[in-house]
Amino acid sequence: MSNSELTEADCIRWLDTTAPEALQELYQQAYAIKQAHVGTKVFYRGIIEFSNVCEKDCFYCGIRRSNKSVKRYVVQDDDVVAAATWAWEQNYGSIVLQSGERKDDAFASQIEKLLQRISEATNGELGVTLSLGEQSPDVLERWRNVGGKRYLLRIETTNPKLYSTLHPDDHHFEDRLQCLRDLRDLDYQVGTGVMIGLPGQTSEDLANDIQFFKDHDIDMIGMGPYIPHGETPMGNSLPDFDSARQLQRGLTMLALTRIALRDVNIAATTALQALDPQGRERGLEAGANIIMPNLTDTKYREGYQLYDGKPCLDENAGMCRFCLEGRIASVGESVGYGEHGDSPHYLKRVAQQT
Ligand code: SAM
Ligand code: SF4
């Protein structure tokens, strides 16, 4: 199947397909395209979930502001730098700094200092992706100037109407979209993605999401199945939640995205593993090439439950590393240690500009 052959109607048909044998063929096609365009090295992005303090109140998220049963935490800067240094010493090419959204000056300065300290501690060799929600162009530029080269901001869904059912009135689809545009203008490697299997989301919506990734020339994709969290307004919104079907849709989206976009980095996200212990390996086999081992100290993990059943609550970073290496070898792939693993799509764009 070539890129030009994958029409919106094809995407919808695949997303509605449930026959495992047919889908297996799709996943194999996606895998072949992955091999040809990004290879079979898996790159690690060690994720540090350094704070669950969030100003926002997304209806689906377990750490939303209104969830009073969450014990809020902020990891000390020294400990964040130590975790980043550990990742560098383990030869991980890069890390992700992720947290709830805060827009105050103190937060902007804290991240700026953290980026400077991480760069100093790791000889400027560790790639850093930021995943800190919507921020102003000024703040994004400050972070860009001290080593934040990549940014992950999921659009969550590209259907504005659906977006409005998932968020309170003061969370605006257009603001999120503008932030993605600002990131591009500031020369970040831009990552986005959606939740798959949201209440009210159609196969057409998901096909449009893939078109959005193409139209916006996205470099990195971080998307995964939506999984309800019992203490959120959407906790009961999928009464017939079927984890096998949800996983299948997630894998189908990964495969279709690989076939349509070819040379981007695509993460096999933890939500896949929450639905099936082999979920991330299956993601690699359906076209993903990035895995995000969790580097957050286990004592904080309980506080970062975005959805019910998030895995690896009690596995420390070292255990995560070895468990993952075995899982990656089990599907015949290897880890790209010591390499940033930049998105080939991004590198091509930069080469064209120079
Ligand atoms: N606060 C930042 C933001 O929203 O962009 C970054 C952290 S946020 C926890 C990261 C991602 O978690 C969101 O983009 C969302 O897609 C995902 N997420 C939140 N709740 C989820 C759920 N119930 N199921 C699956 N993914 C979820
Ligand atoms: Fe906050 Fe991000 Fe969760 Fe929304 S998805 S409530 S912004 S942490």
Side-chain angles (χ1 to χ4, degrees), residues 54 60-63 98-101 131-133 152-154 156 176 195 225-229 271 304 306-307:
C54 188
Y60 43 83
C61 178
I63 62 169
Q98 190 179 82
S99 71
E101 187 173 305
S131 175
L132 309 172
L152 180 61
L153 183 78
R154 288 186 178 179
E156 315 296 2
R176 208 153 175 94
M195 284 178 285
Y226 162 67
I227 304 176
H229 185 294
Y304 210 82
L306 310 178
Y307 44 80

Side-chain angles (χ1 to χ4, degrees), residues 338-351:
E339 298 176 53
H340 278 186
D342 285 311
S343 162
H345 186 80
Y346 172 79
L347 295 177
K348 279 182 210 159
R349 192 173 63 248
V350 172

Side-chain angles (χ1 to χ4, degrees), residues 120-295:
E120 278 159 22
T122 64
N123 246 345
E125 288 171 5
L126 189 70
V128 183
T129 301
L130 300 173
S131 175
L132 309 172
E134 293 161 42
Q135 301 290 340
S136 70
D138 287 352
V139 167
L140 293 172
E141 187 168 10
R142 275 170 65 188
W143 294 345
R144 176 75 179 85
N145 290 341
V146 286
K149 295 197 174 79
R150 306 169 175 161
Y151 206 101
L152 180 61
L153 183 78
R154 288 186 178 179
I155 192 74
E156 315 296 2
T157 170
T158 61
N159 176 340
K161 267 199 186 142
L162 179 59
Y163 188 94
S164 70
T165 68
L166 309 173
H167 299 95
D169 289 346
D170 59 352
H171 296 22
H172 301 292
F173 176 82
E174 190 51 44
D175 292 347
R176 208 153 175 94
L177 186 56
Q178 185 55 46
C179 188
L180 282 174
R181 294 193 191 107
D182 293 339
L183 287 163
R184 165 49 54 80
D185 291 345
L186 289 162
D187 271 339
Y188 274 90
Q189 267 183 68
V190 182
T192 194
V194 295
M195 284 178 285
I196 303 156
L198 287 160
Q201 186 182 46
T202 62
S203 297
E204 192 181 356
D205 288 331
L206 290 169
N208 288 336
D209 293 341
I210 296 174
Q211 190 58 44
F212 174 96
F213 303 151
K214 276 172 86 171
D215 293 345
H216 289 77
D217 208 11
I218 293 299
D219 303 306
M220 320 182 287
I221 304 289
M223 64 183 169
Y226 162 67
I227 304 176
H229 185 294
E231 286 167 342
T232 62
M234 282 171 52
N236 296 321
S237 58
L238 288 179
D240 47 2
F241 183 79
D242 174 351
S243 51
R245 178 71 189 122
Q246 199 76 343
L247 176 71
Q248 195 180 57
R249 267 174 106 69
L251 295 173
T252 302
M253 267 300 273
L254 274 184
L256 291 171
T257 303
R258 171 61 69 200
I259 292 167
L261 276 74
R262 295 179 174 239
D263 57 0
V264 297
N265 279 343
I266 304 182
T269 51
T270 312
L272 293 172
Q273 194 191 353
L275 297 177
D276 176 343
Q278 310 287 318
R280 282 188 297 188
E281 296 84 308
R282 294 180 66 185
L284 295 178
E285 289 174 323
N289 67 323
I290 301 289
I291 286 209
M292 295 157 81
N294 199 332
L295 303 187

Side-chain angles (χ1 to χ4, degrees), residues 270 273 280 294 298 301 310-316 320 323:
T270 312
Q273 194 191 353
R280 282 188 297 188
N294 199 332
T298 45
R301 298 221 192 151
K310 192 163 171 238
C312 298
L313 277 192
D314 52 5
E315 275 181 31
N316 66 32
C320 266
C323 146

